[in-house]
Amino acid sequence: MADAGHVPWWRDAVVYQIYPRSFLDTDGDGVGDLRGIERRLDHLVWLGVDAVWISPFYRSPMADFGYDVSDYCDVDPRFGTLADADRLIAAAHERGLRLLVDWVPNHTSDQHPWFAESRSSRSSPKRDWYHWRDGRDGGPPNNWRAAFGGRAWTFDDATGQWYLHLFLPQQPDLNWSNPDVVAAMHQVLRFWLDRGVDGFRIDVVHCIGKDPAFPDQPAQLGEIDRVGIQNEPTTHELIRGFRRLVDSYPGERTTVGEVNLGDLPSIASFYGRGDELHMVFNFLPLHAPWTKAAWQDVIGRVAQELPTGAWPTWALSNHDVRRIRTRLGGEDAARAAAVLLLTQRGTPFVYQGDELGLEDAVVPDTHRVDPGGRDGCRAPLPWEPGPSHGWPTPSPWLPWPPEADARNAASERDDGASMLHLYRDLLAMRRRSAALRRGSLHLRDAPGDVLAYERECGGDRRMVLVNFGDREAEVPLEGSWAVDVASRPQPQPGVVPAHGAAVLAPER
Ligand code: NOJ
């Protein structure tokens, strides 16, 4: 019988997102690789994270930098080999780190053999693996737009029909209403589970089921809240299928789904009744402005609107948005944001480089490569002071982020006051505090621009104070508290500097 008090590892974990092109190169082509990740695993252990999620490293023509997969069961030669992946999984496990891979079920690359076969003729046995439709009035089958601009349908001259792609034309959408697609993609999950991965981050999982009527998008809904896709009942059934498969493996394998929807009740529905995703990304914090009111609202709504058992997730940055430091504009607020992230109730996800306080790189037009304009946050990680920052080349695939001679892993390891040490201290504090890992969260009254909340679990308590204002703030405290970790040194537990944050523990 399951132990009622047992907490699965992923609820207690902090996950570090690796964007493999930019983590570390070892073969000199200017693009990061799996051996580069393996080489720096000890750094992640030193930092104190529990798990890594690696963005796609499968075979890909790289139209969307790996989110266009042409073989789910092989490693792209730019990143290494399957043997390198096996070594990396083993090396992570030897160090007590869990490893999640990225699974991209909504679409393949147009270079995937399945799509080549599908587009070869209307009578191809794989025709129905993708969404092919006749046009309407000489145009596409409906008015849907693609995420990177343009229409979501491309006409295929050879067979005289249109295929659907919610992203680039090079990313045709799979037809998940076809049981052969389900079976083939389940095989992909098994392939990686058999190799020992601890779970999957699942790309745009809310898009996989489609209303076969493909209704037009009403103008007033805009483009994100897309009719015919968002929250289709078939998507939930398909997710229950993944869940049963993942749960059939030993070792608490897990799933975290990218559900790019702005409202929490919809996000909540992807947890199902504990039979869909283990975790669902919540992107509200990625878009929340740096104000007390906005964060109070996000934290309060997550606490109220996610049902019991729906374990929240928290992220401030990822490979698709401007970095938190760039959005906030300064180091003080970015340090306070680290405190916010690592003291929430739920599993935090740290995007590589945020722990160094990196800003987005300034990428000249001549060097821009991403169709979605996201190059800045994907800049290579500087490991050492210049000129090649610990990479084998001084000129990797994107320019370095600003001030890489000061903001790099080696220099920050030597500086106890650095952002890197703040992250490390926060991670260590989270590890030793049951209240922070698992405890309840209650918002408390606090004056002015200070947001206050308390975490508690079985007698362990922490009080978190975050000052969003640009003046020092004094918070009257009940009882006797001491600073456990603060974003900047502060004179007293209740006195928080401008754009500062502190975690307080009861004084014994
Ligand atoms: C979400 C991924 O995070 C993003 O990078 C990608 O472009 C789209 N899904 C399409 O796969």
Side-chain angles (χ1 to χ4, degrees):
M1 222 180 76
D3 166 8
H6 174 73
V7 175
W9 69 268
W10 44 268
R11 283 192 176 222
D12 262 357
V14 176
V15 183
Y16 183 92
Q17 182 192 351
I18 293 182
Y19 191 70
R21 292 182 72 85
S22 290
F23 192 72
L24 177 64
D25 177 23
T26 59
D27 62 7
D29 65 358
V31 170
D33 45 43
L34 297 184
R35 289 198 175 219
I37 300 174
E38 186 186 340
R39 195 174 287 174
R40 295 294 176 155
L41 285 178
D42 287 331
H43 172 78
L44 299 180
V45 171
W46 174 86
L47 179 61
V49 296
D50 306 283
V52 294
W53 142 38
I54 309 179
S55 285
F57 50 75
Y58 319 109
R59 274 193 191 266
S60 165
M62 302 287 164
D64 189 16
F65 295 99
Y67 285 95
D68 50 321
V69 180
S70 55
D71 184 348
Y72 291 97
C73 298
D74 200 3
V75 172
D76 193 276
R78 295 171 189 86
F79 295 124
T81 62
L82 260 185
D84 292 336
D86 289 338
R87 275 175 48 150
L88 178 59
I89 296 167
H93 289 166
E94 271 162 29
R95 289 162 175 80
L97 287 172
R98 310 270 184 159
L99 190 145
L100 309 184
V101 293
D102 210 314
W103 183 49
V104 188
N106 181 65
H107 42 267
T108 66
S109 160
D110 63 343
Q111 304 299 307
H112 197 293
W114 299 342
F115 188 69
E117 168 66 46
S118 179
R119 88 186 305 173
S120 66
S121 88
R122 288 197 187 202
S123 58
S124 152
K126 290 208 168 51
R127 187 66 168 179
D128 193 38
W129 281 44
Y130 293 83
H131 298 283
W132 290 98
R133 288 288 183 284
D134 291 329
R136 185 178 65 181
D137 308 329
N142 72 10
N143 69 353
W144 291 2
R145 309 285 298 166
F148 299 125
R151 49 194 181 196
W153 298 91
T154 288
F155 187 70
D156 180 58
D157 285 325
T159 57
Q161 282 190 310
W162 300 77
Y163 68 87
L164 177 70
H165 52 85
L166 295 180
F167 293 86
L168 297 172
Q170 297 95 320
Q171 293 168 295
D173 281 40
L174 281 164
N175 176 10
W176 277 86
S177 68
N178 181 334
D180 292 342
V181 168
V182 177
M185 289 300 273
H186 279 198
Q187 271 312 109
V188 172
L189 290 174
R190 290 186 189 285
F191 179 87
W192 289 103
L193 289 166
D194 289 340
R195 297 191 107 80
V197 303
D198 298 288
F200 302 92
R201 178 266 188 188
I202 309 183
D203 192 62
V204 290
V205 68
H206 59 299
C207 295
I208 61 175
K210 273 119 188 158
D211 178 344
F214 287 99
D216 267 335
Q217 173 78 355
Q220 71 276 13
L221 279 184
E223 279 169 24
I224 288 283
D225 202 3
R226 199 192 304 249
V227 66
I229 295 174
Q230 307 311 41
N231 236 338
E232 274 294 296
T234 51
T235 302
H236 293 279
E237 184 51 41
L238 291 164
I239 293 175
R240 287 192 282 274
F242 317 153
R243 174 66 183 255
R244 283 191 295 272
L245 191 162
V246 170
D247 280 355
S248 73
Y249 277 73
E252 296 185 334
R253 317 289 175 105
T254 194
T255 54
V256 51
E258 185 196 20
V259 174
N260 207 342
L261 300 176
D263 74 293
L264 276 166
S266 297
I267 292 173
S269 72
F270 284 84
Y271 290 89
R273 295 194 174 92
D275 56 356
E276 294 190 31
L277 297 166
H278 299 84
M279 292 179 280
V280 182
F281 278 126
N282 156 25
F283 290 135
L284 299 184
L286 287 182
H287 305 296
W290 187 245
T291 64
K292 171 178 174 171
W295 277 88
Q296 192 161 276
D297 181 58
V298 171
I299 294 171
R301 283 171 54 202
V302 167
Q304 274 163 25
E305 295 178 26
L306 290 189
T308 321
W311 185 245
T313 64
W314 295 89
L316 296 175
S317 299
N318 64 34
H319 63 292
D320 290 332
V321 296
R322 288 187 307 143
R323 284 188 179 277
I324 182 73
R325 176 151 184 184
T326 303
R327 302 201 308 274
L328 300 185
E331 174 152 352
D332 283 341
R335 293 174 76 99
V339 174
L340 259 177
L341 173 68
L342 294 171
T343 56
Q344 292 306 318
R345 180 178 172 276
T347 297
F349 286 73
V350 176
Y351 179 50
Q352 69 177 32
D354 271 7
E355 80 281 13
L356 300 175
L358 297 185
E359 290 175 80
D360 282 10
V362 179
V363 185
D365 286 347
T366 46
H367 285 67
R368 295 206 154 272
V369 287
D370 177 47
R374 299 160 294 183
D375 296 317
C377 64
R378 299 175 174 185
L381 273 200
W383 290 97
E384 293 165 14
S388 54
H389 296 300
W391 286 50
T393 161
S395 322
W397 72 292
L398 284 174
W400 301 106
E403 295 182 38
D405 272 338
R407 292 183 211 154
N408 61 72
S411 304
E412 293 196 32
R413 259 179 102 141
D414 290 345
D415 172 6
S418 66
M419 183 76 93
L420 183 62
H421 275 274
L422 173 63
Y423 266 87
R424 185 166 187 253
D425 292 348
L426 288 165
L427 288 162
M429 174 182 66
R430 195 174 166 102
R431 258 195 196 174
R432 59 175 190 264
S433 165
L436 290 174
R437 287 198 317 277
R438 314 176 175 174
S440 58
L441 183 150
H442 292 287
L443 290 165
R444 299 284 181 226
D445 287 337
D449 286 321
V450 177
L451 173 68
Y453 48 95
E454 205 176 322
R455 308 283 321 268
E456 195 275 330
C457 178
D460 183 40
R461 287 165 71 206
R462 291 292 183 284
M463 174 78 81
V464 184
L465 306 175
V466 183
N467 182 4
F468 290 83
D470 34 22
R471 260 179 291 169
E472 182 180 273
E474 185 160 356
V475 182
L477 296 171
E478 266 175 44
S480 185
W481 297 85
V483 172
D484 194 336
V485 175
S487 67
R488 292 284 191 201
Q490 56 184 64
Q492 288 169 39
V495 177
V496 193
H499 300 293
V503 186
L504 312 182
E507 204 157 41
R508 291 173 198 283

